[in-house]
Amino acid sequence: MATDNASPSESGYTQPEIDVPALAEALDGEYAGIRDLVRTNLVTHASVLDDADELGVDAFRERVREIVVEMAATGQTGMGFPAEYGGGGDVGASIAAFETLAFGDLSVLVKSGVQFGLFGGAILHLGTERHHEAYLPDLIAGRLMGSFAMTESGHGSNVQALGTVARYDAETREFVITTPDDAARKDYIGNAARHAELAVVFAQLEVGGTSEGVHAFVVPVRVGGETAPGVRIEDDGRKMGLNGVDNGRIWFDGVRVPREALLDRFADVSPEGVYTSPIENPNRRFFTMLGTLVQGRVSIGGAGVGIAKVALAIAVKYSVRRRQFEASPGSEEQLLLDYGLHQRRLLPLVARTYALHFAQDVVRAQLHDVFSGTGDDPQARRRLESRAAGTKALGTWHATWTVQECREACGGAGYLAVNRFAALKADSDVFTTFEGDNHVLLQLVAKGLLTDHASEFEDLDQLGMVRYVTGLAVETVMERTSAHKLLERVRDLLPGGDEWDREAGLLDPEYQLAMVRYREEHMLAGVARRLKHGIDRKQDPGAVFSQVQDHVIALAHAHVERLVLEAFVDGVRAMPEGGNKDALGLLCDLFALSTIEADRAWFMEHGRLTVQRSKAITREVNDLCRKVRPLAVDLVDAWRVPPEMLRAPDLVG
């Protein structure tokens, strides 16, 4: 408990007292039980952190597989599957479990994600009862290992253009799966190099000479431990990290699978070779199919937040033990976290991690509602897809930056492998790439903003989006967006009309929200205007989009930061009165003002920040860091990262 210094200061400020168990309970929320099960399992298998350093690649891959199967036996990894097949029947719990698993070895996390999230999720969401009965019980128990074979060497993010072909042979009632060239080989496929018996293969379906677009098929890749006939598998080899995951490349040479191998929730082929689908529009069908796989993005975004928590727990604990330089002659050397610069380096990252934690709570709840049927309508699905994409991008970028900053903040000691930073850096780096490259995901977010998730959304490729937006007046684009409506509401709340941003207090959450809402709205109007200007000048739509791409990414980034701040403000407001709420209030102010400060050039360029006010924000951020400093250890302790996962005895004591 941070109780020292609790008397009111000359300024009237009283340092909050944090009740760590109560704060931990609030952060774990309704999923405290499953999170505790995962923490217990992590401690049970803590030796895997040593194994990652000491074992060869083959032995480590086997060790990781064993742990994944043992964790499956506890029910931890099957929470998202229906109870009748051995699952837990709780989608939200499955995400919470994955978020917590990110405290441990990330090869175990990713192999679990491949097996239960991607492979299992594809069979659950794209297949029908016959597939569920045939595969789910063994899959959930870890008896049947599988791969998710979507990405190709020549087509990563552009799934609609995949090269693998599945032709229907009506005479034999089989699909023939073929890799036409090396660009179409499946690549970076988890579980492929060693352990997968089956793969869910995404391929262009051809029926009677007609292409019906990308569909998914269950294809055996190993039989009795040996590569299946017509299948060629190659190990991707050592990677920067995650070497406990057996990534591989797969080629198919006329591999025949029965008609029932098609995962047929959204389309089917009759024995005679007649293609049918309940969704007539092929683009809408494609996006509906991919939309069912959004769980992966929600999971990876949450894992990014978990990774940042581990790094910060180590760095903050080290900073209150390690001393460096005397503050004055003859005095004891000063603790690292008592230096203003060290506070500036770590404490805004703690604040941002808390902010992303609350934002993750929102997207997890949305996912649970959509997939449990309680909030499942087309608009809710689109909002979920957009929010999942944006939260994943910001969460994983935050992890990468936080791990680096925390490593540096621990000096040379942080460079030792025993301290987890080496593994965290190497293993988490690819999180910004898989489940969607972050820049591509932010373009998806911006597309939703510009079209306001219009009914035409699924039909719009990049060029279609440009034409759609430029067919509307800029004012129409603005009126249809939530940012505009939110800003109008805020202008009514704050004093000074158009001078609201100069008269409101810096620590007023309505001021902080108004600033990020204004930035988003202004960027949205700017992108729409630039798109329209290019088309009015008869430029090619593709060239126009390319020219404004940086603006598009900035818009999406601003939009997601606004959502994150709103989630944090709402989370703090919902807390019961007391020291924990006051402490989170400080963190929320620190996140909001450091976010505005980081983009101060934009706010000043657009007349929303005077030089004086900009300087005042910097002073306030420094003051907030000083106020958070005595609370820092309690704040990271409330994440309840098991000490065995920190693996840094010389750093954390």
Side-chain angles (χ1 to χ4, degrees), residues 284 287 294 366 377-390 441-460 465 468-469 472 476-483 485 520 524 555-556 559-560 562-563:
R284 185 163 296 150
F287 282 110
V294 69
Q366 286 183 348
D377 62 72
Q379 287 290 96
R381 280 189 177 259
R382 290 187 197 114
R383 282 194 298 271
L384 169 63
E385 286 163 30
S386 176
R387 189 160 193 144
L441 291 182
L442 288 185
Q443 287 183 77
L444 187 151
V445 172
K447 175 180 162 185
L449 287 171
L450 287 161
T451 60
D452 191 32
H453 305 291
S455 57
E456 302 91 337
F457 182 87
E458 296 94 336
D459 307 338
L460 298 179
M465 184 199 76
Y468 174 82
V469 173
L472 299 174
T476 309
V477 176
M478 296 312 302
E479 287 299 333
R480 290 171 69 161
T481 67
S482 56
K485 299 179 187 83
E520 178 187 345
L524 181 61
L555 160 63
H559 168 71
V560 183
R562 188 258 292 175
L563 294 178

Side-chain angles (χ1 to χ4, degrees), residues 386-469:
S386 176
R387 189 160 193 144
T391 307
K392 184 269 178 184
L394 263 62
T396 54
W397 270 329
H398 174 66
T400 298
W401 170 245
T402 300
V403 170
Q404 178 64 28
E405 193 63 51
C406 289
R407 202 295 299 156
E408 290 184 34
C410 292
Y415 199 63
L416 300 176
V418 73
N419 297 326
R420 288 237 37 210
F421 288 119
L424 287 176
K425 271 176 72 81
D427 291 344
S428 70
D429 196 75
V430 76
F431 282 48
T432 59
T433 301
F434 64 30
E435 285 300 307
D437 173 276
N438 284 354
H439 285 96
V440 175
L441 291 182
L442 288 185
Q443 287 183 77
L444 187 151
V445 172
K447 175 180 162 185
L449 287 171
L450 287 161
T451 60
D452 191 32
H453 305 291
S455 57
E456 302 91 337
F457 182 87
E458 296 94 336
D459 307 338
L460 298 179
D461 58 9
Q462 197 165 285
L463 308 188
M465 184 199 76
V466 173
R467 291 193 184 100
Y468 174 82
V469 173

Side-chain angles (χ1 to χ4, degrees), residues 179-215:
T179 305
D181 52 46
D182 274 352
R185 71 185 181 191
K186 299 299 177 182
D187 210 346
Y188 323 116
I189 307 302
N191 273 353
R194 287 287 182 277
H195 297 137
E197 296 171 56
L198 296 178
V200 172
V201 177
F202 290 80
Q204 301 285 355
L205 171 61
E206 286 187 12
V207 183
T210 302
S211 177
E212 301 290 355
V214 173
H215 291 66

Side-chain angles (χ1 to χ4, degrees), residues 596-613:
I596 294 168
E597 182 191 45
D599 208 11
R600 72 168 93 194
W602 188 93
F603 287 107
M604 293 174 82
E605 282 174 0
H606 294 85
R608 289 293 131 184
L609 209 53
T610 62
V611 172
Q612 294 79 7
R613 198 149 173 94

Side-chain angles (χ1 to χ4, degrees), residues 169-473:
D169 182 343
E171 284 188 19
T172 62
R173 298 185 177 181
E174 293 173 317
F175 293 103
V176 185
I177 316 285
T178 304
T179 305
D181 52 46
D182 274 352
R185 71 185 181 191
K186 299 299 177 182
D187 210 346
Y188 323 116
I189 307 302
N191 273 353
R194 287 287 182 277
H195 297 137
E197 296 171 56
L198 296 178
V200 172
V201 177
F202 290 80
Q204 301 285 355
L205 171 61
E206 286 187 12
V207 183
T210 302
S211 177
E212 301 290 355
V214 173
H215 291 66
F217 303 82
V218 180
V219 183
V221 292
R222 284 187 179 81
V223 179
E226 298 298 317
T227 306
V231 175
R232 177 157 67 97
I233 298 176
E234 190 178 279
D235 199 318
D236 271 319
R238 286 190 75 92
K239 308 178 291 286
M240 276 176 63
L242 298 177
N243 284 304
V245 182
D246 51 318
N247 293 86
R249 305 182 180 100
I250 314 176
W251 292 258
F252 302 96
D253 183 10
V255 175
R256 289 180 171 268
V257 293
R259 188 180 66 88
E260 293 76 17
L262 171 66
L263 293 176
D264 58 349
R265 179 178 170 190
F266 298 114
D268 201 3
V269 177
S270 73
E272 298 73 30
V274 178
Y275 177 84
T276 54
S277 170
I279 306 171
E280 285 187 28
N281 183 298
N283 278 333
R284 185 163 296 150
R285 188 187 313 130
F286 172 76
F287 282 110
T288 302
M289 181 180 76
L290 284 198
T292 63
L293 307 176
V294 69
Q295 190 169 332
R297 285 176 186 162
V298 177
S299 299
I300 293 300
V305 180
I307 290 161
K309 288 175 179 177
V310 176
L312 283 163
I314 296 170
V316 167
K317 287 170 182 290
Y318 181 63
S319 71
V320 296
R321 296 180 72 240
R322 179 79 156 92
R323 295 180 179 273
Q324 191 81 275
F325 303 113
E326 304 122 348
S328 55
S331 66
E332 189 177 20
E333 288 190 299
Q334 195 163 330
L335 288 170
L336 291 182
L337 200 55
D338 288 335
Y339 286 101
L341 178 60
H342 215 78
Q343 293 170 13
R344 264 286 191 158
R345 293 174 72 183
L346 295 183
L347 300 183
L349 293 176
V350 172
R352 193 174 185 88
T353 304
Y354 265 85
L356 286 163
H357 173 102
F358 283 99
Q360 178 69 15
D361 282 349
V362 173
V363 75
R364 186 196 326 106
Q366 286 183 348
L367 179 86
H368 183 81
D369 289 347
V370 164
F371 282 86
S372 301
T374 52
D376 188 8
D377 62 72
Q379 287 290 96
R381 280 189 177 259
R382 290 187 197 114
R383 282 194 298 271
L384 169 63
E385 286 163 30
S386 176
R387 189 160 193 144
T391 307
K392 184 269 178 184
L394 263 62
T396 54
W397 270 329
H398 174 66
T400 298
W401 170 245
T402 300
V403 170
Q404 178 64 28
E405 193 63 51
C406 289
R407 202 295 299 156
E408 290 184 34
C410 292
Y415 199 63
L416 300 176
V418 73
N419 297 326
R420 288 237 37 210
F421 288 119
L424 287 176
K425 271 176 72 81
D427 291 344
S428 70
D429 196 75
V430 76
F431 282 48
T432 59
T433 301
F434 64 30
E435 285 300 307
D437 173 276
N438 284 354
H439 285 96
V440 175
L441 291 182
L442 288 185
Q443 287 183 77
L444 187 151
V445 172
K447 175 180 162 185
L449 287 171
L450 287 161
T451 60
D452 191 32
H453 305 291
S455 57
E456 302 91 337
F457 182 87
E458 296 94 336
D459 307 338
L460 298 179
D461 58 9
Q462 197 165 285
L463 308 188
M465 184 199 76
V466 173
R467 291 193 184 100
Y468 174 82
V469 173
T470 54
L472 299 174

Side-chain angles (χ1 to χ4, degrees), residues 23-39:
L23 182 54
E25 186 180 337
L27 294 174
D28 276 358
E30 63 186 296
Y31 298 115
I34 184 68
R35 292 186 193 278
D36 280 341
L37 171 61
V38 177
R39 289 184 179 104

Side-chain angles (χ1 to χ4, degrees), residues 11-57:
S11 65
Y13 169 71
T14 302
Q15 181 181 303
E17 293 187 24
I18 294 180
D19 180 341
V20 175
L23 182 54
E25 186 180 337
L27 294 174
D28 276 358
E30 63 186 296
Y31 298 115
I34 184 68
R35 292 186 193 278
D36 280 341
L37 171 61
V38 177
R39 289 184 179 104
T40 300
N41 286 342
L42 286 172
V43 173
T44 300
H45 300 291
S47 61
V48 71
L49 300 176
D50 297 320
D51 296 336
D53 291 337
E54 296 164 5
L55 297 179
V57 171

